């Protein structure tokens, strides 16, 4: 082989290696194709929580827990996704949907109840959602929104602390609801609710305004020993059963204007610290206010 041939052979080898190296660098630096969007872990979990297959849903829920436990800042976005999954469940849905609703509700409560796995300073948005035998008893959270929500079965919010506002305007409670000894740091909103069973709000503490105007209570309404630190608006409320305000404490103005007490009412030992209004109020029985 001549000297020229040997030089060409060696040079071609070097050029080949350089070309391969340069090509690899270009491929590594090339952006992803426009038709291949990057899916975040939370988006992947959201999509799996919506599918029909039970095993896929459970796998997504396990990853949901791991995602929320990974970092504190992941917790509220994860809760938002869980609430979204509950809102999108059909009613009544299939048997799998009904069981899945119960699993999601229990998972939500486990993150809001102090103890192992508790997520502090959480907000819940379940507006216009159908919930069955919903139980947030003993939980602690910030804001809770249930406007237009339909609660099937018994509902429990007893011994629960709401550090933010609780709003359930226009909600429907199919049976009994418990708020016993709950704390509402920034108010209680039950405007226009329909309660088909009994409502136990005894020993509640409401620091902000409490609004129940236009509510309909079919059964017994128990506000015994309740503490209202600000205004109370019960105007236009219809109490179908017994209404108990025994030993209740009203620090601000309280209005029962246009309310209708069809059953027996009990204001024995109630304390009114502010102005109270009973204008155009109807009583079906003798008022007990000794």
């Amino acid at each position: 082989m001549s000297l020229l041939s040997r030089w060409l052979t060696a040079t071609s080898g070097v050029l080949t290696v350089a070309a391969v190296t340069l090509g690899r660098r270009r491929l590594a630096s090339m952006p992803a194709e426009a038709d291949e969007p990057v899916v975040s872990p939370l988006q992947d979990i959201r999509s799996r929580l919506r599918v029909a297959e039970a095993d896929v849903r459970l796998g997504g829920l396990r990853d949901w827990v791991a995602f929320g436990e990974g970092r504190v800042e992941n917790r509220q976005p994860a809760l938002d996704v869980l609430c979204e999954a509950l809102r999108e469940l059909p009613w009544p849905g299939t048997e799998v949907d009904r069981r899945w609703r119960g699993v999601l509700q229990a998972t939500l409560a486990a993150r809001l109840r102090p103890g192992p796995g508790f997520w502090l300073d959480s907000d819940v948005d379940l507006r216009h959602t159908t919930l069955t035998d919903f139980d947030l008893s003993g939980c602690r959270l910030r804001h809770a929104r249930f406007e237009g929500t339909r609660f099937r079965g018994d509902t429990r919010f007893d011994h629960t602390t709401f550090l933010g506002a609780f709003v359930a305007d226009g909600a429907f409670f199919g049976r009994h609801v418990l708020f016993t000894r709950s704390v509402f740091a920034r108010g209680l909103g039950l405007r226009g609710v329909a309660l088909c069973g009994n409502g136990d709000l005894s020993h509640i503490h409401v620091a902000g305004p409490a609004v129940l105007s236009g509510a309909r209570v079919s059964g017994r309404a128990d506000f015994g020993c309740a503490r209202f630190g600000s205004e109370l608006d019960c105007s236009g409320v219809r109490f179908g059963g017994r209404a108990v305000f025994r030993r209740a404490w009203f620090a601000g103005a309280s209005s029962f204007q246009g309310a209708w007490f069809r059953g027996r009412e009990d204001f024995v030992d109630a304390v009114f610290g502010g102005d109270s209004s009973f204008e155009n109020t109807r009583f079906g029985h003798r008022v007990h206010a000794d």
Side-chain angles (χ1 to χ4, degrees):
M1 180 182 294
S2 63
L3 182 61
L4 179 59
S5 299
R6 276 184 272 180
W7 181 83
L8 290 174
T9 302
T11 304
S12 62
V14 172
L15 292 175
T16 301
V17 172
V20 172
T21 302
L22 180 61
R24 287 175 178 173
R25 290 177 179 174
R26 287 181 175 176
L27 287 174
S29 62
M30 287 178 63
E33 293 292 336
D35 57 352
E36 296 179 2
V38 178
V39 178
S40 69
L42 197 57
Q43 289 175 323
D44 176 60
I45 293 170
R46 177 188 287 110
S47 63
R48 284 187 286 154
L49 291 178
R50 296 174 175 175
V51 301
E53 292 78 8
D55 54 342
V56 178
R57 286 180 173 180
L58 289 174
L61 190 60
R62 285 191 294 267
D63 291 344
W64 177 89
V65 174
F67 177 82
E69 294 288 353
R71 304 180 68 178
V72 174
E73 54 266 32
N74 289 349
R75 294 177 180 178
Q76 188 57 56
L79 284 173
D80 293 340
V81 167
L82 194 68
C83 291
E84 180 182 311
L86 274 168
R87 285 197 301 269
E88 293 180 350
L89 276 176
W91 176 264
T94 64
E95 179 64 25
V96 173
D97 292 331
R98 290 191 287 272
R99 293 180 180 179
W100 185 237
R101 179 179 288 105
V103 170
L104 293 181
Q105 291 179 180
T107 302
L108 178 66
R111 302 301 149 193
L112 302 176
R113 189 170 288 127
F118 172 58
W119 292 357
L120 182 65
D121 294 334
S122 298
D123 299 330
V124 170
D125 184 353
L126 288 171
R127 289 172 290 174
H128 305 289
T129 308
T130 299
L131 304 170
T132 304
D133 294 322
F134 192 62
D135 184 0
L136 284 188
S137 59
C139 290
R140 183 182 181 188
L141 60 157
R142 288 190 308 184
H143 304 293
R145 303 195 63 179
F146 296 99
E147 295 102 309
T149 299
R150 300 181 69 84
F151 295 91
R152 301 286 185 174
D154 293 335
T155 304
R156 297 189 59 181
F157 293 107
D158 51 304
H159 296 84
T160 301
T161 299
F162 298 94
L163 299 175
F166 178 96
V167 184
D169 296 345
F172 172 86
F173 295 91
R175 290 195 65 200
H176 310 309
V177 58
L178 297 178
F179 285 100
T180 315
R181 297 187 182 277
S182 291
V183 176
F184 303 89
R186 295 186 60 183
L188 171 63
L190 294 172
R191 181 186 288 107
V193 303
L195 206 170
C196 296
N198 300 328
D200 190 344
L201 293 92
S202 60
H203 296 89
I204 64 171
H205 288 253
V206 187
V211 182
L212 290 84
S213 57
R216 302 290 184 269
V217 184
S218 299
R220 175 189 173 102
D222 190 351
F223 292 87
C225 298
R227 297 291 183 265
F228 297 97
S230 185
E231 297 83 6
L232 170 66
D233 184 1
C234 282
S235 58
V237 176
R238 291 192 178 185
F239 296 97
R242 187 177 182 185
V244 179
F245 290 87
R246 181 182 291 259
R247 297 181 182 176
W249 184 65
F250 307 90
S254 55
S255 174
F256 293 88
Q257 183 177 355
W260 187 7
F261 294 89
R262 298 186 63 184
R264 293 186 178 274
E265 56 287 320
D266 187 346
F267 286 89
V268 174
D269 294 330
V271 177
F272 293 87
D275 296 332
S276 59
S277 174
F278 287 86
E279 185 180 355
N280 296 323
T281 302
R282 290 184 288 179
F283 298 95
H285 296 267
R286 182 172 61 89
V287 179
H288 297 269
D290 298 336

